Amino acid sequence: MGTLIKNGIVVTAEGENIADVYVDGESISAIGTGLTAKNNDEVIDAAGKYILPGGVDQHVHFSFTYKGSKTRGFETSNAAAIGGTTTVIEFINQEKGKGLVETIDDYRKTDADGIAMVDYAFHSVMTDPTDEVIEGIPKLAEAGYPTMKLFMAYKGQFFHADDDAILKALQKGKEAGVTVMVHAENADMIDTLTKQLITEGKTAPYYHAVSRPPVVEAEATRRAIYLAELADAPLYVVHVTCKEALAEVKAAYTRGQKVFGETCAHYLVLDTSDLAKPGFEGAKYVCSPALRTEEHREALWEAVDRKWLNAISSDHCGFDYAQQKHMGYGEGNSFADIPNGAPSLQNRLNILWTYGVCPGKLSRSRLVDLYATTPAKINGLDKKGQLAIGFDADIVIFDPTYEGIISAETNSEGVDYSPFEGFEQKGRAETVLLRGQKIVEHAKYIGYKGQGRLVHGKPFGAAYQW
Ligand code: URP
Ligand code: ZN
Ligand code: ZN
């Protein structure tokens, strides 16, 4: 039995057209006008709705641990589906003494396989850069995990990486087509400023931003770009948040270096005034890099529109406010004890549509490219992120007439707050197909635990090819 989606406005990264989409089994087998259903096919009337490829969120944390506090896991991945995301890519911190591939495989067997409700892939995070581990980087490509990240920030945490490790990762990674990503912030600058602020009694959540201003991100971004130049390897900079770091990425790219970057939905709509909210509210917005001011937000909107940045991720990090974010509250504690990151899995498309497409900051095609098509290409997911024949039938039927308000109470992220609480939402994913199976209907998740499948990426992703 197939599915015929009739008369929707099909949006791709190249443009949009009224067309029908035919799904045969798990794949898209035809796109055109006047397609007809076969016996027993389900026919969905999508007149007046947009047909988008299922989103690919290349930056999520279901397994992140900060100072002993762990995020919600894959059991909440139904939230991705409701938000129009059908593939998530999770970062797995290498366990000390374990191989990169082995760490991912062990995690996925216990924490993702049989649990995930959307398709999933993994990035390795190298934390223990012994000679043996560096030599083993090409095995990531063979295992279908062709991307790895290094954290330049977080001094003193086991996952912090020095320049030595980054350079070696870039050199070894390029032999096998592994794309190296960096969280670019200068760890020493942050550490020094943090200690000074705490000594001065400046411990409230707002000082998180003061402890890591734009220059901290710009310096590390530039350094990573130099390391990539030295290694003659591509580089992908995750969560670019400020004009200065953006200028570094753009300058490198313009002079012909293979340097690319993403930003995240929260950096486009939130700012330092959120961190300054009264009481301990600001803790909800503690993420790294820190939220910036209005001028940086506007620069980011321009950058995603003009292709200076090529993806928008969620950087979803499901820490509860009442328990986990409160680790930074009270006598002897500070912003530095607040687990970094915010829950945003369900609202990436909602935010981009409402605050990007509706006011004319992004075209629908550009949105599709940023939230699905390019992230799939960067990560070597050659059946994801596009409405095209032969691609996985991961499809969002988007109703642009819906109007609502975002709230943690009504979402499915399993976290006790949302950084977008009270935000107006225009439009929503009404129906979502995952490889041809309906997993969201009337904006409710109707799939099942374990329906998501591991997707292997191919090496030499788009960062090598552009
Ligand atoms: O604050 C953040 N972004 N937390 C998640 C880990 C990271 O740095 O990406
Ligand atoms: Zn990060
Ligand atoms: Zn992250």
Side-chain angles (χ1 to χ4, degrees):
M1 184 183 112
T3 304
L4 179 63
I5 305 168
K6 294 282 294 172
N7 298 320
I9 305 158
V10 173
V11 187
T12 68
E14 284 78 40
E16 55 185 63
N17 275 306
I18 295 186
D20 307 332
V21 179
Y22 190 77
V23 175
D24 192 5
E26 297 201 335
S27 321
I28 297 170
S29 67
I31 301 178
T33 46
L35 299 185
T36 50
K38 299 185 199 123
N39 284 346
N40 299 326
D41 280 349
E42 181 177 2
V43 179
I44 302 176
D45 177 16
K49 313 237 165 80
Y50 292 98
I51 315 298
L52 315 176
V56 176
D57 191 345
Q58 65 175 358
H59 191 153
V60 302
H61 298 280
F62 289 121
S63 64
F64 191 61
T65 305
Y66 188 82
K67 299 194 175 180
S69 219
K70 187 176 174 303
T71 57
R72 299 301 305 271
F74 271 93
E75 72 281 357
T76 56
S77 53
N78 52 324
I82 301 165
T85 290
T86 47
T87 306
V88 292
I89 313 186
E90 164 71 8
F91 290 94
I92 301 290
N93 287 350
Q94 178 200 6
E95 282 177 43
K96 199 168 170 52
K98 238 190 215 185
L100 302 171
V101 172
E102 200 188 348
T103 304
I104 295 178
D105 281 343
D106 287 354
Y107 170 82
R108 97 175 155 72
K109 282 178 199 151
T110 53
D111 289 68
D113 295 355
I115 300 171
M117 287 169 263
V118 290
D119 284 357
Y120 53 100
F122 295 100
H123 309 284
S124 172
V125 177
M126 186 166 67
T127 66
D128 188 17
T130 61
D131 289 350
E132 195 186 341
V133 169
I134 301 281
E135 276 309 302
I137 287 174
K139 288 191 199 145
L140 283 170
E142 289 160 29
Y145 311 129
T147 45
M148 76 180 308
K149 185 172 79 170
L150 294 106
F151 282 106
M152 299 171 84
Y154 301 117
K155 187 179 167 92
Q157 303 285 331
F158 80 97
F159 44 85
H160 165 76
D162 290 328
D163 293 356
D164 168 65
I166 298 168
L167 180 59
K168 288 175 180 163
L170 287 158
Q171 289 168 330
K172 199 69 194 173
K174 76 169 187 185
E175 289 176 16
V178 172
T179 300
V180 172
M181 304 179 156
V182 285
H183 169 139
E185 286 186 293
N186 182 310
D188 283 311
M189 287 179 173
I190 297 166
D191 192 52
T192 302
L193 292 182
T194 299
K195 286 176 180 153
Q196 290 169 349
L197 287 163
I198 292 172
T199 304
E200 291 165 24
K202 295 176 175 165
T203 57
Y206 175 76
Y207 291 103
H208 176 72
V210 182
S211 75
R212 46 214 311 153
V215 66
V216 165
E217 186 184 336
E219 187 284 328
T221 304
R222 178 184 284 224
R223 183 157 35 97
I225 290 169
Y226 277 129
L227 292 167
E229 185 182 341
L230 186 60
D232 191 20
L235 177 75
Y236 200 85
V237 186
V238 300
H239 48 43
V240 175
T241 73
C242 61
K243 286 194 306 186
E244 295 82 347
L246 179 59
E248 298 294 347
V249 172
K250 200 175 141 196
Y253 173 77
T254 309
R255 66 176 177 260
Q257 214 181 319
K258 291 183 184 330
V259 174
F260 307 95
E262 61 163 26
T263 191
C264 306
H266 46 290
Y267 295 114
L268 293 164
V269 293
L270 300 173
D271 59 38
T272 45
S273 66
D274 294 295
L275 274 166
K277 283 186 174 163
F280 200 60
E281 277 291 290
K284 295 178 176 173
Y285 307 92
V286 167
C287 59
S288 291
L291 296 176
R292 306 298 184 196
T293 52
E294 171 74 23
E295 57 173 333
H296 295 283
R297 276 189 355 198
E298 288 315 312
L300 291 174
W301 278 116
E302 184 186 14
V304 289
D305 181 39
R306 300 179 71 166
K307 306 192 178 178
W308 300 331
L309 295 176
N310 67 20
I312 303 176
S313 306
S314 70
D315 198 1
H316 172 73
C317 224
F319 288 117
D320 271 329
Y321 175 61
Q323 297 289 330
Q324 296 166 303
K325 290 282 188 180
H326 269 76
M327 283 166 63
Y329 188 70
E331 192 64 31
N333 295 323
S334 76
F335 61 85
D337 300 307
I338 301 170
N340 284 202
S344 49
L345 186 64
Q346 189 166 324
N347 288 304
R348 189 173 60 118
L349 173 59
N350 298 333
I351 292 290
L352 298 183
W353 188 277
T354 309
Y355 300 94
V357 172
C358 292
K361 289 180 172 170
L362 285 183
S363 69
R364 288 180 284 269
S365 286
R366 189 73 198 118
L367 164 80
V368 161
D369 199 8
L370 288 158
Y371 108 112
T373 307
T374 290
K377 289 180 183 172
I378 291 286
N379 293 283
L381 304 180
D382 59 359
K383 293 272 187 293
K384 298 291 187 190
Q386 291 188 49
L387 294 175
I389 293 166
F391 275 69
D392 281 357
D394 298 340
I395 298 175
V396 174
I397 302 177
F398 191 85
D399 175 6
T401 65
Y402 172 82
E403 291 194 2
I405 300 290
I406 295 176
S407 173
E409 254 182 52
T410 48
N411 81 19
S412 297
E413 289 170 343
V415 181
D416 63 359
Y417 83 100
S418 167
F420 309 120
E421 187 72 34
F423 271 54
E424 210 183 306
Q425 178 186 332
K426 292 189 177 154
R428 68 176 178 186
E430 189 69 25
T431 304
V432 178
L433 306 188
L434 176 68
R435 284 176 279 100
Q437 300 292 309
K438 207 184 273 177
I439 60 168
V440 171
E441 191 166 42
H442 306 306
K444 299 263 180 303
Y445 186 75
I446 57 158
Y448 56 89
K449 193 175 156 197
Q451 192 165 359
R453 192 187 280 170
L454 173 68
V455 202
H456 291 294
K458 300 244 165 67
F460 297 101
Y464 280 86
Q465 292 157 27
W466 288 333

